[in-house]
Amino acid sequence: MSNELGKKEQKFLVKFMLHIAMFLAVLALSVVLNETNDLSIYSTGFLAMSPVIPVIFLLQLVVNHYRSLDEYIQRVMGESLLWAVGVVGCAAMAYGLLSEMVEVPTISPAFMLPAIAVIFGVAQSIKLASDTHEE
């Protein structure tokens, strides 16, 4: 049973890494094409949005994987995601309010998804470690 689970997790990780590689390849290609060509505003807009396409497929992969997990892990992941979105959302709101009153550097919203992913991983690790110590 655990060997089957290990193969399932390994298959998921390989697919996950392939999606990330596709995202990075499309991102690099779009930047290079945009910087080396004089493109129309529509072509530039498409190039700017094209890295989102692999991310959409990545999201579908993650959701399907989530649905295949047991209830305990789903609960841990759900709570971790709530913490991640909450922390990033509160930080974004605080930064936005601060920027209304004080001159602060601009931060691109493109960093929100990576920030959510990092905080999600940290929250998940903390939750799993605390559950292990309780037993």
Side-chain angles (χ1 to χ4, degrees), residues 9-26 50-67 77 81 113-114 116-118 120:
E9 293 295 321
Q10 191 173 27
K11 185 177 177 182
F12 167 73
L13 285 175
V14 167
K15 287 182 178 181
F16 186 89
M17 297 307 281
L18 286 172
H19 281 80
I20 294 294
M22 284 189 288
F23 163 73
L24 293 173
V26 172
S50 62
V52 174
I53 296 168
V55 173
I56 291 169
F57 288 106
L58 175 64
L59 178 60
Q60 181 183 17
L61 174 74
V62 170
V63 168
N64 288 337
H65 180 67
Y66 175 82
R67 289 178 180 159
M77 290 177 72
L81 186 61
L113 186 59
I116 289 170
V118 168
F120 169 77

Side-chain angles (χ1 to χ4, degrees), residues 14 16 18 33 36 52 54 60 67 69 80 84 102 111 114 118 122 133:
V14 167
F16 186 89
L18 286 172
L33 287 175
T36 59
V52 174
Q60 181 183 17
R67 289 178 180 159
L69 298 171
S80 299
V102 179
F111 292 110
V118 168
V122 170
H133 291 308

Side-chain angles (χ1 to χ4, degrees), residues 33-121:
L33 287 175
N34 187 43
E35 289 183 359
T36 59
N37 297 302
D38 186 27
L39 302 170
S40 71
I41 191 164
Y42 298 110
S43 297
T44 303
F46 174 76
L47 285 176
M49 299 301 293
S50 62
V52 174
I53 296 168
V55 173
I56 291 169
F57 288 106
L58 175 64
L59 178 60
Q60 181 183 17
L61 174 74
V62 170
V63 168
N64 288 337
H65 180 67
Y66 175 82
R67 289 178 180 159
S68 73
L69 298 171
D70 67 20
E71 291 176 9
Y72 169 70
I73 296 298
Q74 284 183 349
R75 193 173 74 240
V76 168
M77 290 177 72
E79 184 177 333
S80 299
L81 186 61
L82 286 171
W83 276 108
V85 171
V87 167
V88 172
C90 287
M93 183 178 70
Y95 199 81
L97 293 171
L98 181 65
S99 71
E100 292 294 323
M101 299 179 190
V102 179
E103 189 69 31
V104 294
T106 303
I107 299 176
S108 173
F111 292 110
M112 290 180 86
L113 186 59
I116 289 170
V118 168
I119 295 172
F120 169 77

